[in-house]
Amino acid sequence: MSNYTQSTNFATKDALTSGDPLKIVKGTEINTEFVNISVAIATKADLASPTFTGTPTLPTGTIATTQTFGNSSTLLATTAFVQAALAALHPVGSIYINATVSTNPGTLLGFGTWTAFGAGRVMVGFNSANVLFDTAEETGGSADSTLPTHTHTITDPTHFHAQGGDALNIASGNSVATATAQISYAGTNTAAASTGITINNAGTSGTNANYQPYITVYMWKRTA
């Protein structure tokens, strides 16, 4: 774009005395001014529906018409349009998560009322078939469930212990060394016995043993 620059100073000509040849406006001077004006007009954008080329730069504070939300044309977007689009992506009830920045999203995004959400809890998907998960924002579970120390006792089934003696019979007239020995066993059973066997204590009375693998982030819920 170029601005119109005047080449002939007509006011100076008017100030000259009558009869001065320089006071006369020449055709070439008029032609030069016409060309200057034509070039300036041809390189300016129209007020209505202009088509820009190159890299146009809008001045700071430029005011434009905000397009209707959802407009996907190539029309210029205002800051109001962009802000409305961001707000639509984060409706009331939305959860905002940030792994490193703890700043309230109302400050970061510039809209909405946000409150810290889900402190010390993980999220689980809605499940209408499970009473534990069939209501939005329903809570449950425990981070401090413990397994108390306890014992296991096993009792043997009834069994018997046998006891008895051996009888040595030696034929008459024979020595012990040459006798035909007959050894008999006469056994008797004792009364039934029951033995208790106790296993050592099992389990640890400790807390924080119930956590799934986790990672800590900042979570916020939009409330308005």
Side-chain angles (χ1 to χ4, degrees), residues 118-157:
R121 293 183 178 275
V122 296
M123 293 185 288
V124 64
F126 180 89
N127 184 356
S128 60
N130 189 325
V131 295
L132 296 178
F133 314 121
D134 62 353
T135 303
E137 296 192 42
E138 187 173 9
T139 58
S142 173
D144 298 324
S145 295
T146 62
L147 180 63
T149 55
H150 58 284
T151 60
H152 298 274
T153 301
I154 298 177
T155 302
D156 285 345

Side-chain angles (χ1 to χ4, degrees), residues 90 94 96-98 100-117 218-224:
H90 300 83
S94 295
Y96 172 87
I97 298 175
N98 196 306
T100 57
V101 179
S102 62
T103 305
N104 190 301
T107 300
L108 291 176
L109 303 178
F111 63 84
T113 300
W114 301 78
T115 57
F117 180 79
Y218 298 101
M219 291 195 297
W220 302 82
K221 173 188 173 184
R222 185 180 176 187
T223 57

Side-chain angles (χ1 to χ4, degrees), residues 170-176 178-179:
I170 302 174
S172 177
N174 292 326
S175 67
V176 173
T178 59

